[in-house]
Amino acid sequence: MKNNSLLEVPNINSKDAKLKKLIYDVEDSLFYGGNYSNEEFEHLCICSGGTTSSCAKNGFTTLDLRKNYSKIHLDRKTNLVTIGGGVIMGDLVNHLQKHNRSFPIGLSKLPGAGYVLTGGVSPLSRAYGLAIDNIESIKGFLGNGTFISLKKNQTNPEEQLIWEAIKGAAPFFSIITEIELKTIQSNPIKVIEGFVNLNELSEIIKLSEEFPENISLQWIYAQKIYIYIFAELNNLEDKITEEYLMLLDKFPALEKHFYENFNKINFFPRELNLYELKADNHSEVISLLGEDLKNDVPIFIKCLSEIIDNKPNNSCYIASQQLGGKTKKLNHGSSFFVHRKSTWKPWIYASWKKNDLQEKKVALEWIYKSWNKLKRFYPNIHLAQLHNHLNFHEEEITLAFGNRMNELKTLKNIFDPQGILPPL
Ligand SMILES: Cc1cc2nc3c(=O)[nH]c(=O)nc-3n(C[C@H](O)[C@H](O)[C@H](O)COP(=O)(O)OP(=O)(O)OC[C@H]3O[C@@H](n4cnc5c(N)ncnc54)[C@H](O)[C@@H]3O)c2cc1C
């Protein structure tokens, strides 16, 4: 154990937090209840990629998995890759690319194992499922200190519920030190991207709801609207894909780019001037889930426009990514990502000058109000960030886990009875 008061991580809230203690190893002493349960509201924060506001908090202890759980190994016979619980997605895809393999990571290379364990929505998900759908086995510890090693289709009835809950709700009752994942062939990608106006966005959303599984739309509305249409080319003569992409020729500002593989793409260009990693700002983000907008596109666009008009400062934005296709299928087995019908995952992002409590209050109110406006289109939550430090945590987890909430509470009671891990 090492005493250190700060953690070097991408998320600025967490980077600024004054830690009580920093731990690098999952060892028995971690689970001696007295360490945590005596102090009200305290739990252990886990850090993998360090991209969220919950991996470090003032006065709390962080278990930093990045140092001792950072191995990546690709088995060339099975094409399964084993990663440590502290591996970031950029390192994973860089390793895989050497062998012409890839993995459906999200829009950023920075997130760590938290991306995989909370679901993992990728521009490739429509074709390959969520990240959790590609988990083959895991190793780790339950909040009561019990070591677990589980493999897909080889769990006994007692283990089956843990296995399902790890896929989507792991952070509440377990510390995962190793994950085995299926990999995919690395294929070239065509991206059509650029700035559009609200009318064009409306048209493009309509088109995208008819896209085949290898094409997905992601858009971001900060100062202006920027879109990415992402098409995986399984073969370079793919006529159907070309026909869909030709429908976008009528939008003059959009540019076509060809990338040899997924790794070469960097989403969110500098021109967007996003505040995500600005050192003077703290931020929060909440992710929603819902189905195709269909005839509601015009009224959604009106609502979006109102939300952006009301944003309290320039840092705030709304963005969205498209899922559906394979993510709707349950053939990977049941999981705690319960809203399988979802085809859109919008997220609401706000930040504020880090010491300005008034601006923080206004920014968080804007998130909450915007969420309420968007609920009619996107009633559910993707719990990609834990917000137990915010007022709306309870509402979020209820909308994230739906009819599996009681099972999750039971698992938490049995396997993390002392509340060592983040509270539900
Ligand atoms: C720039 C950016 C782009 C993103 N794009 C996408 C996207 O396209 N699709 C998508 O689905 N999400 C996306 N996300 C969200 C991101 O995947 C989640 O917030 C994820 O939880 C972050 O994981 P982390 O390991 O980096 O975070 P951390 O802050 O290190 O961890 C977050 C929480 O996860 C838990 N956790 C992490 N690792 C473990 C472990 N090994 N065992 C148990 N619990 C663990 C901890 O409780 C921790 O509090 C994006 C985030 C950012 C910052």
Side-chain angles (χ1 to χ4, degrees):
M1 277 191 201
K2 225 182 177 185
N3 267 321
N4 216 331
S5 66
L6 293 172
L7 192 66
E8 208 36 62
V9 282
N11 184 281
I12 312 294
N13 309 36
S14 291
K15 189 176 180 174
D16 288 337
K18 300 210 166 36
L19 306 186
K20 179 172 166 190
K21 198 161 45 185
L22 191 53
I23 303 176
Y24 294 106
D25 261 316
V26 191
E27 53 192 26
D28 284 354
S29 61
L30 203 57
F31 304 99
Y32 295 160
N35 282 343
Y36 300 98
S37 59
N38 289 345
E39 293 175 49
E40 222 184 334
F41 303 131
E42 198 192 335
H43 57 267
L44 186 65
C45 299
I46 312 291
C47 175
S48 180
T51 60
T52 75
S53 58
S54 63
C55 67
K57 292 179 184 165
N58 284 339
F60 280 59
T61 299
T62 288
L63 170 64
D64 186 355
L65 297 171
R66 292 174 301 170
K67 195 166 156 221
N68 292 350
Y69 305 92
S70 59
K71 287 212 180 84
I72 304 174
H73 172 74
L74 175 69
D75 181 327
R76 291 300 288 137
K77 281 205 197 98
T78 59
N79 278 327
L80 297 178
V81 68
T82 306
I83 62 169
V87 165
I88 66 165
M89 294 302 107
D91 290 344
L92 168 62
V93 288
N94 283 337
H95 183 92
L96 294 179
Q97 192 53 50
K98 290 183 210 148
H99 306 279
N100 209 25
R101 306 292 298 172
S102 193
F103 184 76
I105 68 161
L107 298 170
S108 164
K109 292 175 180 141
L110 294 178
Y115 166 78
V116 177
L117 297 171
T118 57
V121 180
S122 166
L124 289 163
S125 284
R126 290 164 55 77
Y128 299 101
L130 300 168
I132 48 170
D133 298 332
N134 293 286
I135 300 181
E136 285 292 304
S137 70
I138 59 99
K139 286 185 181 155
F141 295 84
L142 298 169
N144 59 10
T146 309
F147 174 75
I148 44 163
S149 173
L150 303 176
K151 214 171 175 49
K152 189 175 177 177
N153 301 331
Q154 292 182 27
T155 48
N156 64 38
E158 252 174 52
E159 294 166 337
Q160 181 57 24
L161 187 59
I162 304 178
W163 172 253
E164 291 176 14
I166 288 218
K167 297 187 290 172
F172 293 107
F173 67 97
S174 65
I175 301 167
I176 304 301
T177 52
E178 200 178 286
I179 312 172
E180 188 183 41
L181 298 164
K182 260 193 244 158
T183 62
I184 58 176
Q185 158 86 31
S186 169
N187 283 324
I189 310 285
K190 202 172 251 185
V191 174
I192 299 189
E193 62 179 290
F195 289 102
V196 296
N197 62 33
L198 268 174
N199 286 337
E200 290 168 327
L201 177 66
S202 170
E203 260 190 83
I204 291 167
I205 291 175
K206 264 188 224 145
L207 288 175
S208 70
E209 291 189 346
E210 307 296 327
F211 280 164
E213 288 181 357
N214 64 321
I215 309 184
S216 62
L217 167 68
Q218 13 281 311
W219 56 260
I220 175 163
Y221 191 175
Q223 261 67 283
K224 294 196 277 175
I225 306 166
Y226 199 87
I227 68 148
Y228 291 94
I229 289 153
F230 176 105
E232 187 198 26
L233 306 175
N234 293 310
N235 70 68
L236 294 173
E237 309 287 305
D238 184 344
K239 290 230 169 61
I240 296 175
T241 301
E242 279 311 321
E243 276 167 24
Y244 276 97
L245 297 184
M246 263 160 55
L247 299 174
L248 299 153
D249 285 348
K250 66 174 187 176
F251 301 101
L254 298 184
E255 288 180 7
K256 280 188 189 160
H257 295 283
F258 178 84
Y259 297 94
E260 271 166 57
N261 55 62
F262 193 1
N263 297 27
K264 304 258 175 184
I265 307 173
N266 280 317
F267 290 95
F268 308 130
R270 242 167 237 277
E271 298 90 287
L272 288 177
N273 199 20
L274 297 181
Y275 283 64
E276 215 91 35
L277 304 172
K278 286 201 172 162
D280 293 338
N281 282 50
H282 283 181
S283 61
E284 293 292 354
V285 53
I286 164 171
S287 305
L288 318 184
L289 287 170
E291 293 179 45
D292 277 355
L293 291 164
K294 295 194 173 115
N295 294 333
D296 284 342
V297 175
I299 98 167
F300 164 71
I301 292 288
K302 191 164 170 277
C303 175
L304 176 65
S305 167
E306 281 166 17
I307 288 173
I308 294 293
D309 285 346
N310 286 326
K311 65 183 195 172
N313 64 48
N314 273 341
S315 79
C316 303
Y317 70 74
I318 311 277
S320 186
Q321 58 189 144
Q322 191 177 14
L323 53 167
K326 293 281 187 327
T327 68
K328 284 183 155 183
K329 307 254 156 65
L330 260 183
N331 52 357
H332 304 282
S334 194
S335 74
F336 272 45
F337 186 98
V338 297
H339 303 297
R340 284 283 172 177
K341 285 185 179 161
S342 312
T343 51
W344 292 109
K345 175 201 152 174
W347 69 98
I348 311 169
Y349 172 95
S351 82
W352 55 90
K353 273 177 249 71
K354 60 190 182 192
N355 297 320
D356 190 334
L357 291 182
Q358 179 56 24
E359 202 191 355
K360 175 180 180 180
K361 184 168 169 271
V362 173
L364 289 176
E365 273 168 12
W366 177 79
I367 290 197
Y368 194 68
K369 278 187 196 151
S370 307
W371 175 21
N372 271 327
K373 285 186 187 148
L374 289 173
K375 264 183 195 155
R376 60 184 288 195
F377 311 103
Y378 309 109
N380 298 313
I381 287 287
H382 172 213
L383 205 77
Q385 293 84 9
L386 309 188
H387 292 139
N388 44 287
H389 51 287
L390 298 178
N391 293 339
F392 45 78
H393 173 63
E394 216 170 293
E395 190 177 351
E396 261 193 284
I397 50 171
T398 309
L399 293 177
F401 298 113
N403 59 8
R404 305 212 78 169
M405 190 62 209
N406 282 339
E407 286 170 291
L408 183 56
K409 280 189 176 154
T410 305
L411 284 172
K412 176 89 178 159
N413 285 340
I414 300 173
F415 297 120
D416 185 25
Q418 294 169 110
I420 286 171
L421 294 167
L424 267 177

PDB file of all heavy atoms in Angstrom, residues 11 13 36 74 84 166 192 213 229 237 264 285 305 341 348 364 391:
ATOM      1  N   ASN A  11      -9.978  11.920 -16.085  1.00  0.00           N
ATOM      2  CA  ASN A  11     -11.107  12.693 -15.562  1.00  0.00           C
ATOM      3  C   ASN A  11     -10.620  13.738 -14.552  1.00  0.00           C
ATOM      4  O   ASN A  11      -9.959  13.394 -13.565  1.00  0.00           O
ATOM      5  CB  ASN A  11     -12.141  11.764 -14.909  1.00  0.00           C
ATOM      6  CG  ASN A  11     -13.362  12.536 -14.446  1.00  0.00           C
ATOM      7  OD1 ASN A  11     -13.337  13.182 -13.399  1.00  0.00           O
ATOM      8  ND2 ASN A  11     -14.419  12.509 -15.229  1.00  0.00           N
ATOM      9  N   ASN A  13     -12.265  15.791 -12.417  1.00  0.00           N
ATOM     10  CA  ASN A  13     -12.850  15.730 -11.058  1.00  0.00           C
ATOM     11  C   ASN A  13     -12.032  14.750 -10.217  1.00  0.00           C
ATOM     12  O   ASN A  13     -11.660  15.041  -9.085  1.00  0.00           O
ATOM     13  CB  ASN A  13     -14.299  15.212 -11.046  1.00  0.00           C
ATOM     14  CG  ASN A  13     -15.238  15.909 -12.006  1.00  0.00           C
ATOM     15  OD1 ASN A  13     -14.842  16.270 -13.090  1.00  0.00           O
ATOM     16  ND2 ASN A  13     -16.469  16.089 -11.594  1.00  0.00           N
ATOM     17  N   TYR A  36     -13.736   0.061   5.847  1.00  0.00           N
ATOM     18  CA  TYR A  36     -14.703   0.903   5.137  1.00  0.00           C
ATOM     19  C   TYR A  36     -15.993   1.136   5.896  1.00  0.00           C
ATOM     20  O   TYR A  36     -16.484   2.246   5.988  1.00  0.00           O
ATOM     21  CB  TYR A  36     -15.003   0.287   3.759  1.00  0.00           C
ATOM     22  CG  TYR A  36     -13.736   0.218   2.979  1.00  0.00           C
ATOM     23  CD1 TYR A  36     -13.008  -0.963   2.915  1.00  0.00           C
ATOM     24  CD2 TYR A  36     -13.216   1.367   2.413  1.00  0.00           C
ATOM     25  CE1 TYR A  36     -11.788  -0.997   2.262  1.00  0.00           C
ATOM     26  CE2 TYR A  36     -12.000   1.344   1.768  1.00  0.00           C
ATOM     27  CZ  TYR A  36     -11.291   0.157   1.702  1.00  0.00           C
ATOM     28  OH  TYR A  36     -10.095   0.137   1.079  1.00  0.00           O
ATOM     29  N   LEU A  74      -3.122 -12.038 -26.554  1.00  0.00           N
ATOM     30  CA  LEU A  74      -3.999 -12.595 -27.594  1.00  0.00           C
ATOM     31  C   LEU A  74      -3.588 -14.032 -27.877  1.00  0.00           C
ATOM     32  O   LEU A  74      -2.422 -14.304 -28.199  1.00  0.00           O
ATOM     33  CB  LEU A  74      -3.886 -11.761 -28.881  1.00  0.00           C
ATOM     34  CG  LEU A  74      -4.667 -12.300 -30.080  1.00  0.00           C
ATOM     35  CD1 LEU A  74      -6.188 -12.179 -29.861  1.00  0.00           C
ATOM     36  CD2 LEU A  74      -4.271 -11.578 -31.373  1.00  0.00           C
ATOM     37  N   GLY A  84      -6.132  -7.387 -18.474  1.00  0.00           N
ATOM     38  CA  GLY A  84      -6.227  -7.119 -17.051  1.00  0.00           C
ATOM     39  C   GLY A  84      -7.343  -6.099 -16.788  1.00  0.00           C
ATOM     40  O   GLY A  84      -7.768  -5.383 -17.704  1.00  0.00           O
ATOM     41  N   ILE A 166     -22.489  -9.448 -13.824  1.00  0.00           N
ATOM     42  CA  ILE A 166     -21.164  -8.879 -14.153  1.00  0.00           C
ATOM     43  C   ILE A 166     -21.264  -8.126 -15.471  1.00  0.00           C
ATOM     44  O   ILE A 166     -20.652  -7.082 -15.664  1.00  0.00           O
ATOM     45  CB  ILE A 166     -20.112 -10.017 -14.220  1.00  0.00           C
ATOM     46  CG1 ILE A 166     -19.898 -10.449 -12.800  1.00  0.00           C
ATOM     47  CG2 ILE A 166     -18.852  -9.574 -14.981  1.00  0.00           C
ATOM     48  CD1 ILE A 166     -18.631 -10.808 -12.293  1.00  0.00           C
ATOM     49  N   ILE A 192     -18.169   9.042 -43.037  1.00  0.00           N
ATOM     50  CA  ILE A 192     -18.672  10.262 -43.682  1.00  0.00           C
ATOM     51  C   ILE A 192     -18.941  11.235 -42.554  1.00  0.00           C
ATOM     52  O   ILE A 192     -19.704  10.929 -41.628  1.00  0.00           O
ATOM     53  CB  ILE A 192     -19.942   9.952 -44.481  1.00  0.00           C
ATOM     54  CG1 ILE A 192     -19.563   8.937 -45.537  1.00  0.00           C
ATOM     55  CG2 ILE A 192     -20.529  11.226 -45.078  1.00  0.00           C
ATOM     56  CD1 ILE A 192     -20.595   8.650 -46.538  1.00  0.00           C
ATOM     57  N   GLU A 213     -26.616  -3.321 -40.604  1.00  0.00           N
ATOM     58  CA  GLU A 213     -25.894  -3.446 -39.315  1.00  0.00           C
ATOM     59  C   GLU A 213     -24.459  -2.927 -39.345  1.00  0.00           C
ATOM     60  O   GLU A 213     -23.897  -2.601 -38.310  1.00  0.00           O
ATOM     61  CB  GLU A 213     -25.884  -4.916 -38.875  1.00  0.00           C
ATOM     62  CG  GLU A 213     -27.242  -5.387 -38.399  1.00  0.00           C
ATOM     63  CD  GLU A 213     -27.251  -6.825 -37.935  1.00  0.00           C
ATOM     64  OE1 GLU A 213     -26.209  -7.517 -38.033  1.00  0.00           O
ATOM     65  OE2 GLU A 213     -28.322  -7.261 -37.464  1.00  0.00           O
ATOM     66  N   ILE A 229     -20.888   9.172 -39.870  1.00  0.00           N
ATOM     67  CA  ILE A 229     -21.522   7.932 -40.302  1.00  0.00           C
ATOM     68  C   ILE A 229     -20.379   6.951 -40.539  1.00  0.00           C
ATOM     69  O   ILE A 229     -19.450   7.221 -41.301  1.00  0.00           O
ATOM     70  CB  ILE A 229     -22.383   8.139 -41.557  1.00  0.00           C
ATOM     71  CG1 ILE A 229     -23.609   8.951 -41.116  1.00  0.00           C
ATOM     72  CG2 ILE A 229     -22.839   6.809 -42.145  1.00  0.00           C
ATOM     73  CD1 ILE A 229     -24.195   9.759 -42.165  1.00  0.00           C
ATOM     74  N   GLU A 237     -15.867  -4.234 -52.250  1.00  0.00           N
ATOM     75  CA  GLU A 237     -16.859  -4.103 -53.331  1.00  0.00           C
ATOM     76  C   GLU A 237     -18.274  -4.116 -52.768  1.00  0.00           C
ATOM     77  O   GLU A 237     -19.212  -4.464 -53.460  1.00  0.00           O
ATOM     78  CB  GLU A 237     -16.728  -5.298 -54.306  1.00  0.00           C
ATOM     79  CG  GLU A 237     -15.337  -5.566 -54.812  1.00  0.00           C
ATOM     80  CD  GLU A 237     -14.914  -4.530 -55.818  1.00  0.00           C
ATOM     81  OE1 GLU A 237     -15.641  -4.351 -56.801  1.00  0.00           O
ATOM     82  OE2 GLU A 237     -13.880  -3.869 -55.585  1.00  0.00           O
ATOM     83  N   LYS A 264      -7.267   3.894 -36.584  1.00  0.00           N
ATOM     84  CA  LYS A 264      -6.784   5.135 -37.219  1.00  0.00           C
ATOM     85  C   LYS A 264      -7.767   6.290 -37.032  1.00  0.00           C
ATOM     86  O   LYS A 264      -7.461   7.426 -37.386  1.00  0.00           O
ATOM     87  CB  LYS A 264      -6.578   4.904 -38.721  1.00  0.00           C
ATOM     88  CG  LYS A 264      -5.660   3.766 -39.045  1.00  0.00           C
ATOM     89  CD  LYS A 264      -4.289   4.250 -39.424  1.00  0.00           C
ATOM     90  CE  LYS A 264      -3.404   3.054 -39.621  1.00  0.00           C
ATOM     91  NZ  LYS A 264      -2.111   3.145 -39.890  1.00  0.00           N
ATOM     92  N   VAL A 285     -21.602  13.505 -16.833  1.00  0.00           N
ATOM     93  CA  VAL A 285     -22.299  13.083 -18.048  1.00  0.00           C
ATOM     94  C   VAL A 285     -23.303  12.000 -17.691  1.00  0.00           C
ATOM     95  O   VAL A 285     -23.063  11.193 -16.793  1.00  0.00           O
ATOM     96  CB  VAL A 285     -21.279  12.620 -19.129  1.00  0.00           C
ATOM     97  CG1 VAL A 285     -20.331  11.585 -18.606  1.00  0.00           C
ATOM     98  CG2 VAL A 285     -21.954  12.112 -20.374  1.00  0.00           C
ATOM     99  N   SER A 305     -33.278  21.373 -29.996  1.00  0.00           N
ATOM    100  CA  SER A 305     -32.945  22.771 -30.243  1.00  0.00           C
ATOM    101  C   SER A 305     -33.226  23.618 -28.985  1.00  0.00           C
ATOM    102  O   SER A 305     -32.423  24.472 -28.600  1.00  0.00           O
ATOM    103  CB  SER A 305     -33.763  23.226 -31.445  1.00  0.00           C
ATOM    104  OG  SER A 305     -33.721  24.575 -31.571  1.00  0.00           O
ATOM    105  N   LYS A 341     -34.007  -3.413 -26.402  1.00  0.00           N
ATOM    106  CA  LYS A 341     -34.708  -2.885 -27.583  1.00  0.00           C
ATOM    107  C   LYS A 341     -34.108  -1.561 -28.050  1.00  0.00           C
ATOM    108  O   LYS A 341     -34.436  -1.065 -29.123  1.00  0.00           O
ATOM    109  CB  LYS A 341     -36.175  -2.639 -27.233  1.00  0.00           C
ATOM    110  CG  LYS A 341     -37.002  -3.896 -27.142  1.00  0.00           C
ATOM    111  CD  LYS A 341     -38.444  -3.491 -26.927  1.00  0.00           C
ATOM    112  CE  LYS A 341     -39.350  -4.692 -26.837  1.00  0.00           C
ATOM    113  NZ  LYS A 341     -40.610  -4.310 -26.184  1.00  0.00           N
ATOM    114  N   ILE A 348     -25.808  13.389 -22.222  1.00  0.00           N
ATOM    115  CA  ILE A 348     -25.875  14.824 -21.909  1.00  0.00           C
ATOM    116  C   ILE A 348     -24.628  15.146 -21.096  1.00  0.00           C
ATOM    117  O   ILE A 348     -24.376  14.513 -20.069  1.00  0.00           O
ATOM    118  CB  ILE A 348     -27.129  15.161 -21.063  1.00  0.00           C
ATOM    119  CG1 ILE A 348     -28.394  14.545 -21.675  1.00  0.00           C
ATOM    120  CG2 ILE A 348     -27.283  16.672 -20.898  1.00  0.00           C
ATOM    121  CD1 ILE A 348     -29.624  14.620 -20.759  1.00  0.00           C
ATOM    122  N   LEU A 364     -25.564  21.216 -13.420  1.00  0.00           N
ATOM    123  CA  LEU A 364     -26.222  19.950 -13.059  1.00  0.00           C
ATOM    124  C   LEU A 364     -27.737  20.066 -13.206  1.00  0.00           C
ATOM    125  O   LEU A 364     -28.403  19.107 -13.599  1.00  0.00           O
ATOM    126  CB  LEU A 364     -25.847  19.530 -11.631  1.00  0.00           C
ATOM    127  CG  LEU A 364     -24.399  19.046 -11.461  1.00  0.00           C
ATOM    128  CD1 LEU A 364     -24.095  18.749  -9.997  1.00  0.00           C
ATOM    129  CD2 LEU A 364     -24.124  17.797 -12.311  1.00  0.00           C
ATOM    130  N   ASN A 391     -27.588  13.722  -6.754  1.00  0.00           N
ATOM    131  CA  ASN A 391     -28.960  13.511  -6.263  1.00  0.00           C
ATOM    132  C   ASN A 391     -29.760  12.518  -7.093  1.00  0.00           C
ATOM    133  O   ASN A 391     -30.670  11.884  -6.594  1.00  0.00           O
ATOM    134  CB  ASN A 391     -29.750  14.833  -6.295  1.00  0.00           C
ATOM    135  CG  ASN A 391     -29.186  15.794  -5.298  1.00  0.00           C
ATOM    136  OD1 ASN A 391     -28.519  15.370  -4.361  1.00  0.00           O
ATOM    137  ND2 ASN A 391     -29.427  17.088  -5.494  1.00  0.00           N
TER     138      ASN A 391
END
